[in-house]
Each structure stands twice: as structure tokens, then as C-alpha cells.
Amino acid sequence: HIRRKIQKLEEEIEDVRRIRQIQRSKRVKSRIPLVCLVGYTNAGKSTLLNLLTDAGVHAENRLFDTLDPTTKLMETEDMGELLISDTVGFIRKLPHHLIDAFRATLEELTFADVLVHVIDASDPSFQMQTEIVEKLINDLGAAGTPVIRAYNKTDLLSEEELPRAREAVCISAKTGENVGLLLRAIKDALGRAEREVSFILPYGDARLLDMLYRDAHVLSAEYEEGGIAVKAKCGAAVCGKLKKYLPEEPKEPWED
């Protein structure tokens, strides 16, 4: 009976992985940047997701309260659309069999454009927790992804107790304090993740060329009969604004 139950759970995990693979392919084609929230358990990831996207995700102080990650669309003025994804909370000495069980959830980290490491700055052990999470990020193969440390729950700390670190923002997901600074840090990180794109920009939207020269690296811009043939290196945020002009990528085999 136990073996049958294990087999059923393993099949369900494989189904989750397959569905997420299809969803990921569609997201890549839409060119919407993905921001993953990671952190030690109960650091406030779900609360931050609710603040950013009005997701209405249940947030409670319980171990593994978020097992199936929630991904929500967020509209921003200067970055276009973003996808914000919550993930399972990490713990100290996370057993390998649990890592395997959660891999369908955790592997999303390796496809993120930016990781926001949410840290409970009010916890006396936050430095140890930070090290544990960053080691697991490396173990999962996401070491090359830009990481922003978001020291959360700073509404519980005095000015003297606030952490000081580079590539970090002190926030309160509960009160909304400094969330604007976090979004600015996300924008900066997305801008550093560039890729080369080629597309035709209609003359009716030629004003976007000024934005490209300002926020991207324009390699060439040729004026043709049907529009401006542009080749540029763009960050994820700029690609998000241009997604309707970028050519569709070929279908994956599982989409036929």
C-alpha cells in the first residue's frame, strides 16, 4: 500500500514538472521577465507576493506552508509586465529526499531572471539562515542568477538594528515600506541581463527607438519600407516592453 502511494506521488510530481515545463516555454515566448521570491521558511515571501500583486495567497507561520508556488502577473510603469513567483521556504539541513520531492517547485529558480532573497531581519539567526538559502541556491544550479537581498520585517527593528549590505534593500512586506526601492533594484538587475534581439519596429511606434537608445545597446537601425529593422542588446525589462514586436520562437516538441 505504501509503495503504491509513493508511486502515485512520484507520478503527480512528474505531472507538475511537465506542466511547468509547458508553462515555462509559453512564458519564455512571451518574454515577460520572471522574478522568484526565495528565502528561509516564514521569512515573509507570501506576504511580499500579496503586496506586489494582490495575489491573496495564504500566508501563515508554518513550515512548508507554500509547497505549490504561486506565480502572478504584476504591471509596472517603467518595466512593463513582470511575473512574480513564490517558492517553498528553505530550512536548515533540508534532506535530499525533500529536495527531490520539491524539485518541480525549486527548479523554477534556475529559469528566473532575478531572485529576490527575502530575509527575516528580525530573526536573531538571520545570518545563518541567509547562508543556508544561498548554499541551496548554488546547489540547485542557480548560482549565476542575479540575487537581491530583501531584509524584511524591518518595521520590528530600530534604525540602529537595520542590516547594512551591498545589493540589499530593507523592506517591510507588512507595511509596504521601501517596496519602491526593491522594485528599483529589480529593474537594475533586469537591465544587466541582456540578450540580442532583431525585429521590425513600425514607423507608428518609432518613438520607442529613443527608449532603446537610452535603455539598451542598439547595434543597428536600418530604415526600410515596412519599418525600422532594429538589432539590439536588451535587458529583460526592455524586452518586456517590446514583446509584441519580437518574433515568435519555434514550438517545443511537446507543444505539437
Side-chain angles (χ1 to χ4, degrees):
H1 177 72
I2 292 173
R3 286 197 188 99
R4 284 199 301 271
K5 203 163 188 178
I6 291 173
Q7 183 179 359
K8 183 174 182 298
L9 290 171
E10 288 177 341
E11 290 172 353
E12 289 178 0
I13 289 171
E14 190 57 38
D15 284 343
V16 170
R17 181 178 289 112
R18 180 179 56 81
I19 291 169
R20 292 201 169 278
Q21 189 178 33
I22 294 172
Q23 291 173 338
R24 190 177 300 122
S25 171
K26 291 179 179 178
R27 191 196 73 236
V28 168
K29 288 182 180 179
S30 72
R31 302 180 187 271
I32 300 176
L34 174 66
V35 178
C36 276
L37 308 180
V38 300
Y40 207 79
T41 189
N42 302 322
K45 299 181 300 300
S46 295
T47 303
L48 181 57
L49 179 69
N50 288 338
L51 175 68
L52 294 174
T53 66
D54 296 322
V57 174
H58 175 68
E60 191 171 325
N61 186 22
R62 295 191 307 180
L63 188 62
F64 300 144
D65 196 49
T66 304
L67 291 181
D68 187 21
T70 300
T71 301
K72 291 292 181 180
L73 189 67
M74 178 184 179
E75 294 278 356
T76 67
E77 291 184 3
D78 53 355
M79 289 183 284
E81 295 176 331
L82 297 179
L83 287 170
I84 312 293
S85 183
D86 197 2
T87 60
V88 63
F90 295 162
I91 60 169
R92 186 167 179 259
K93 296 182 179 179
L94 184 65
H96 285 291
H97 68 278
L98 280 183
I99 290 180
D100 291 338
F102 296 152
R103 190 166 293 278
T105 293
L106 297 175
E107 67 184 6
E108 195 75 1
L109 304 183
T110 62
F111 295 91
D113 295 288
V114 175
L115 301 179
V116 175
H117 181 181
V118 184
I119 302 165
D120 180 357
S122 69
D123 192 309
S125 304
F126 80 85
Q127 291 182 332
M128 177 199 70
Q129 295 173 359
T130 300
E131 293 172 1
I132 291 168
V133 172
E134 292 182 351
K135 182 180 185 303
L136 284 170
I137 289 173
N138 291 339
D139 292 345
L140 290 164
T145 305
V147 178
I148 300 167
R149 288 186 181 181
Y151 289 101
N152 190 27
K153 305 186 184 181
T154 54
D155 54 301
L156 303 177
L157 302 175
S158 66
E159 183 68 27
E160 293 73 22
E161 294 174 313
L162 294 178
R164 313 290 180 187
R166 296 183 62 185
E167 300 293 329
V169 182
C170 291
I171 67 167
S172 171
K174 182 178 179 181
T175 67
E177 182 182 4
N178 286 341
V179 170
L181 294 179
L182 175 60
L183 291 175
R184 191 182 308 163
I186 291 173
K187 179 182 178 182
D188 291 343
L190 288 173
R192 292 194 293 269
E194 291 189 333
R195 62 174 177 266
E196 188 172 312
V197 295
S198 299
F199 60 98
I200 300 295
L201 183 64
Y203 286 114
D205 285 330
R207 57 183 175 76
L208 291 176
L209 195 58
D210 290 336
M211 180 272 292
L212 280 169
Y213 277 110
R214 184 180 67 249
D215 298 335
H217 180 204
V218 177
L219 301 174
S220 64
E222 303 290 337
Y223 291 81
E224 301 178 352
E225 184 176 347
I228 308 170
V230 178
K231 181 181 289 186
K233 287 187 176 180
C234 305
V238 173
C239 284
K241 295 178 183 178
L242 300 170
K243 64 177 183 178
K244 67 179 180 180
Y245 305 116
L246 301 181
E248 284 194 15
E249 297 179 4
K251 285 187 176 182
E252 299 293 345
W254 61 78
E255 295 181 286
D256 292 333

